[in-house]
Amino acid sequence: MTVPFSSDVAGITALNEACARAKKEIGKMIVGQDAIVESVMIAIFCNGHCLLVGVPGLAKTLLVQTVARVLDLSFNRIQFTPDLMPSDITGSEILDEERHFRFVKGPVFANIVLADEINRTPPKTQAALLEAMQERAVTVGGKQNRLEQPFFVLATQNPIEQEGTYPLPEAQLDRFMFNIFLDYPTFEQEVQVVKNTTANQVQDLQKVLNAEEIIAFQQLVRSVPVTDHVLEYAVKLASKTRPGTFLASEDVNNYLTWGAGPRASQYLVLGAKCHAAIKGKYAPDIEDVQAVALPVLRHRIVRNYKAEAEGITIEEIIQKLL
């Protein structure tokens, strides 16, 4: 069942209001991360996954838990460790009392799955999420089991403490719509965080949306029209990141090993549609593409040794392309 809208205009208005209410509720728990919360909401309304990167203590896990509570979605947290096995994520078949194999679902069977410190488990276990993230299904014992919808993987990763970590394969990274960096709060924001978390009070969060409404908004976002020149701008932007191609700049050829694939173009357009909709616009423009470009492209571009030696960052290269 989905929630019908009387028109696309009514749907855009409803999405704009729902996103504002959700951000207000999440703001009761998460202080000073408005842009981060907005990016997570855009990914959810685009049916995409998020990778949250930041130093310890920036409330990455709390953010995901709060989003699940406010959106009234089922939630499971998986702590990724070096000894985690694929079956610990997907589930496994067991032999019951009647000597029949029965599938016991793993924690991946939830609307929101928090993959906490995803880079602390070996690639074999990381790969257990590949089918779930792309196909929204899990195959065990030759049988495909569909995941409940909507389904999102919100993963966290620390940029430090490289000992005991395993870099995410490019195929896994490419399945995340956004790679979102969390930075330290300002002095005033940190004062508010400390004040809130050291007092004997419990925040009462209101549920803003449910699964059916989120699915309806996802369908609405896909129906948002986009002009040819905006679509072509998004495709050109992704193409410009590919060294050795006719659109590549001198910086791209000098500093990148490879660039973003076609999935980046898709997410640039889809993200721009949603960014426009939550701002109350009925069609995206180039500014909406630029607004989502950094989290879409950041993890799809690989620097070469020359860029690392000269201290050229991915963000600097993307900003020049914009």
Side-chain angles (χ1 to χ4, degrees):
M1 176 184 176
T2 56
V3 180
F5 301 111
S6 57
S7 66
D8 285 347
V9 172
I12 296 293
T13 302
L15 176 58
N16 177 261
E17 294 173 351
C19 189
R21 293 199 312 272
K23 288 165 66 176
K24 182 179 178 181
E25 289 300 313
I26 294 169
K28 293 179 180 179
M29 296 289 292
I30 307 298
V31 177
Q33 300 282 13
D34 294 344
I36 304 301
V37 172
E38 182 173 288
S39 294
V40 172
M41 296 302 297
I42 288 174
I44 286 174
F45 290 133
C46 291
N47 200 19
H49 310 290
C50 275
L51 178 62
L52 304 172
V53 181
V55 299
L58 294 184
K60 300 185 294 295
T61 301
L62 178 62
L63 169 61
V64 178
Q65 292 172 332
T66 304
V67 168
R69 288 174 61 187
V70 169
L71 300 185
D72 195 20
L73 297 174
S74 61
F75 170 77
N76 279 331
R77 177 179 183 271
I78 307 173
Q79 183 63 53
F80 279 67
T81 56
D83 60 346
L84 191 74
M85 298 298 291
S87 59
D88 296 329
I89 298 173
T90 60
S92 58
E93 288 188 323
I94 64 170
L95 198 62
D96 61 18
E97 295 84 355
E98 299 177 358
R99 301 185 68 79
H100 294 134
F101 281 106
R102 178 170 59 88
F103 177 60
V104 178
K105 294 181 178 180
V108 75
F109 285 85
N111 295 128
I112 292 183
V113 174
L114 168 58
D116 209 7
E117 296 188 285
I118 190 172
N119 60 330
R120 292 205 172 276
T121 199
K124 177 182 178 180
T125 304
Q126 291 176 10
L129 282 174
L130 288 175
E131 182 185 11
M133 293 173 71
Q134 183 65 28
E135 314 295 339
R136 263 67 176 185
V138 169
T139 301
V140 177
K143 181 181 179 183
Q144 190 177 66
N145 303 273
R146 304 299 302 179
L147 297 169
E148 54 185 304
Q149 298 299 313
F151 172 74
F152 313 103
V153 173
L154 302 181
T156 69
Q157 180 177 318
N158 294 330
I160 57 177
E161 300 176 23
Q162 295 303 315
E163 185 176 351
T165 61
Y166 304 83
L168 267 65
E170 296 304 321
Q172 180 110 45
L173 281 173
D174 200 42
R175 279 167 170 76
F176 287 102
M177 177 179 181
F178 282 164
N179 182 355
I180 303 172
F181 273 24
L182 284 79
D183 205 352
Y184 291 108
T186 65
F187 178 81
E188 292 77 12
Q189 291 167 351
E190 191 164 350
V191 168
Q192 188 62 45
V193 168
V194 174
K195 188 180 295 184
N196 292 349
T197 55
T198 57
N200 188 21
Q201 60 180 9
V202 178
Q203 291 290 349
D204 182 27
L205 296 180
Q206 303 296 319
K207 291 178 171 50
V208 172
L209 292 169
N210 57 35
E212 289 76 15
E213 291 169 326
I214 291 171
I215 292 172
F217 282 133
Q218 289 174 346
Q219 295 170 350
L220 173 73
V221 166
R222 286 190 170 272
S223 70
V224 171
V226 57
T227 59
D228 285 345
H229 84 279
V230 173
L231 190 145
E232 289 172 4
Y233 175 83
V235 174
K236 282 183 180 178
L237 182 58
S239 299
K240 286 179 180 179
T241 66
R242 301 163 191 167
T245 61
F246 74 100
L247 287 173
S249 66
E250 185 178 350
D251 282 343
V252 168
N253 286 327
N254 285 338
Y255 296 124
L256 296 185
T257 301
W258 69 74
R263 193 178 272 132
S265 302
Q266 296 169 343
Y267 281 142
L268 283 171
V269 172
L270 203 55
K273 286 184 176 187
C274 188
H275 186 270
I278 66 174
K279 300 298 183 184
K281 299 191 292 186
Y282 303 117
D285 51 31
I286 287 176
E287 285 73 21
D288 294 302
V289 177
Q290 293 173 335
V292 299
L294 200 57
V296 168
L297 297 175
R298 179 187 280 135
H299 55 301
R300 295 183 164 89
I301 296 173
V302 177
R303 294 180 300 166
N304 59 23
Y305 291 115
K306 183 178 180 181
E308 293 182 19
E310 295 183 15
I312 305 296
T313 66
I314 293 293
E315 287 76 8
E316 289 172 349
I317 295 173
I318 295 173
Q319 289 296 345
K320 285 185 178 181
L321 294 177
L322 292 176

